[in-house]
Amino acid sequence: MAGSRPCHVCAVPRRISRSLTWNPEGTITETRDPEHRMILADVEGINQLFGNIENLIGISIQNMLTESKARATREFTRKLLRGWKRQVVRRAGLGLVIKRMGGLARSFGYGDLEVLHVDWRNNRIEWRLRDPYSVPLMCGDLRGATEAVKDVVGTVEAEPEGENTYIVRGRLSPPPSGMEERLTAPAARVKRGDITYRRCPDCGVPLRVSGFAWDPDCGIIRDGRTGARYAFIGPASIQAVFDELASELGESIPEAVVEAQRMRVASLDFEPWRGFALEKFRDLLGVMGFGNLVSLESSPDRFTARIENAALPLVIAGTAAGALEAFTGRRATTEWTVTPDGDLELQVTA
Ligand SMILES: [Zn+2]
């Protein structure tokens, strides 16, 4: 497929350079929909984070993740369809739409996707997923995309088929709960930034992105150095789940999210990060779409940082605490504030 062809200079797929924009504010946005942010997230990390949150709070968040993701993907797909000429969609049929969506999903690192069975008369559809980046989030993607294409409301259910393979069955029915309307992503206000990336002279993507390797057939993106799997994920749908949990279960939720991420990160190896300069951290955070690191002060057992346009601030706070713990071998305490204008102020002490 044309979209999976790589740039001849940096080897990043053309579909990525066409779909996503890396901005000087430390954000990644959909080129077609600049209000829709994306982050390049570590797949194992995000799944461990969800698992740790469930263990800490004692309830499953799988359905909430699917609901929230369905909503985000439905909106995204509606905009995508508006961008394509309606006549083209009508003439080429829904098969093409599904094919294109599948291609985009593979470029974003979501795994491989096969349509097994379509019965529009009875409003049923069945997919096979191979190596999905997240089962609940991918179920949300499939549901949201189908709802946008067919202009209906549906449910999806995943069933394991084999190792890393799932069958997902989609059916139309009334919305499953009143939760959906509350899972609204907060409006993003973005502060201007001045990060200048070294960019590919041909496709314009920051050159650091070419450190990732794409397998366009399997839908897998890996860090070329560590082999860790990554995917482009919309942070708003995940933040909406954190907000929903906090409104239902109370003020202990933000602490639990930070703790869940600290647990995950404290076990990782941060040795290569030693001696990293501010500019390098700033670059890294921005390339991943997590925001603009405008200040960082550090001593051997403590650091304070300010990040503008922070995506998933609780995850950043947990990452910082876990990283300092991995450095010093001592449990870190974290204080964080998200200012009304969206800055994350962070102080971590070992
Ligand atoms: Zn390029």
Side-chain angles (χ1 to χ4, degrees), residues 10-13 16 40-45 47 105-112 130-133 163-164 207-232 264 287-288:
C10 71
V12 172
I16 291 294
L40 183 53
D42 149 32
V43 167
E44 192 191 318
N47 287 309
R106 275 189 287 273
S107 301
F108 283 172
Y110 291 2
D112 190 24
R130 284 190 192 85
D131 304 312
Y133 70 115
E163 202 185 339
N164 300 325
L207 280 175
R208 197 179 277 274
V209 181
S210 68
F212 292 87
W214 267 259
D215 181 334
D217 298 323
C218 297
I220 291 177
I221 305 170
R222 290 195 188 279
D223 182 319
R225 198 174 53 83
T226 65
R229 185 173 171 192
Y230 282 77
F232 289 94
R264 145 86 188 156
V287 161
M288 311 299 265

Side-chain angles (χ1 to χ4, degrees), residues 7-12 14 17 200-205 207:
C7 170
H8 68 279
V9 178
C10 71
V12 172
R14 295 279 179 195
S17 50
C200 172
D202 191 68
C203 71
V205 162
L207 280 175

Side-chain angles (χ1 to χ4, degrees), residues 37 80 106 129 144 147 164 173 206 210 247 256 291 310 334:
R37 278 180 74 171
L80 195 71
R106 275 189 287 273
L129 306 181
E147 287 176 346
N164 300 325
S173 66
S210 68
S247 81
T334 319

Side-chain angles (χ1 to χ4, degrees), residues 1-313:
M1 238 182 282
S4 62
R5 223 180 297 145
C7 170
H8 68 279
V9 178
C10 71
V12 172
R14 295 279 179 195
R15 196 179 262 124
I16 291 294
S17 50
R18 279 203 308 259
S19 314
L20 301 176
T21 305
W22 274 260
N23 305 296
E25 293 81 30
T27 63
I28 306 171
T29 49
E30 300 272 0
T31 304
R32 212 184 284 269
D33 178 9
E35 286 188 356
H36 191 201
R37 278 180 74 171
M38 298 289 258
I39 52 171
L40 183 53
D42 149 32
V43 167
E44 192 191 318
I46 210 92
N47 287 309
Q48 260 187 31
L49 169 67
F50 296 155
N52 288 348
I53 291 172
E54 290 180 331
N55 288 338
L56 288 170
I57 66 176
I59 60 166
S60 167
I61 62 169
Q62 308 282 309
N63 287 341
M64 288 178 104
L65 289 167
T66 299
E67 287 286 331
S68 187
K69 196 65 166 67
R71 186 188 179 89
T73 302
R74 188 171 59 227
E75 281 168 19
F76 166 68
T77 309
R78 279 193 185 137
K79 284 181 180 151
L80 195 71
L81 293 178
R82 245 177 268 151
W84 298 344
K85 297 228 169 8
R86 278 213 168 271
Q87 303 93 302
V88 175
V89 173
R90 211 176 299 138
R91 199 168 53 231
L94 290 164
L96 180 82
V97 174
I98 290 168
K99 212 170 152 187
R100 284 224 197 163
M101 294 292 301
L104 196 61
R106 275 189 287 273
S107 301
F108 283 172
Y110 291 2
D112 190 24
L113 168 63
E114 183 189 349
V115 179
L116 288 181
H117 179 70
V118 183
D119 177 3
W120 293 121
R121 192 185 292 268
N122 293 304
N123 296 314
R124 291 184 179 216
I125 182 162
E126 236 175 73
W127 300 269
R128 175 179 286 128
L129 306 181
R130 284 190 192 85
D131 304 312
Y133 70 115
S134 148
V135 175
L137 294 180
M138 192 70 198
C139 281
D141 287 318
L142 293 174
R143 197 186 113 188
T146 311
E147 287 176 346
V149 170
K150 293 292 288 177
D151 207 15
V152 290
V153 179
T155 60
V156 293
E157 267 172 40
E159 193 185 299
E161 187 193 36
E163 202 185 339
N164 300 325
T165 315
Y166 298 81
I167 302 292
V168 178
R169 294 185 180 88
R171 289 189 180 86
L172 296 175
S173 66
S177 72
M179 179 169 31
E180 196 176 355
E181 287 316 305
R182 283 179 287 147
L183 288 172
T184 310
R189 270 174 304 172
V190 173
K191 281 191 182 174
R192 281 170 173 258
D194 60 357
I195 305 178
T196 49
Y197 300 112
R198 285 181 56 226
R199 290 179 186 264
C200 172
D202 191 68
C203 71
V205 162
L207 280 175
R208 197 179 277 274
V209 181
S210 68
F212 292 87
W214 267 259
D215 181 334
D217 298 323
C218 297
I220 291 177
I221 305 170
R222 290 195 188 279
D223 182 319
R225 198 174 53 83
T226 65
R229 185 173 171 192
Y230 282 77
F232 289 94
I233 303 176
S237 54
I238 296 172
Q239 182 62 46
V241 170
F242 297 161
D243 294 345
E244 177 71 14
L245 285 171
S247 81
E248 286 199 351
L249 301 172
E251 286 310 304
S252 61
I253 290 299
E255 297 277 354
V257 174
V258 173
E259 172 60 10
Q261 180 67 2
R262 183 202 65 77
M263 286 160 65
R264 145 86 188 156
V265 174
S267 63
L268 301 176
D269 175 20
F270 281 92
E271 200 51 39
W273 287 23
R274 273 184 207 279
F276 247 42
L278 167 68
E279 276 311 306
K280 223 167 168 182
F281 270 122
R282 194 180 186 216
D283 220 54
L284 198 65
L285 204 69
V287 161
M288 311 299 265
F290 277 94
N292 185 7
L293 179 65
V294 289
S295 75
L296 176 69
E297 285 166 31
S298 67
S299 62
D301 55 2
R302 180 196 176 121
F303 65 82
T304 55
R306 187 179 186 91
I307 296 159
E308 292 179 353
N309 311 319
L312 301 180

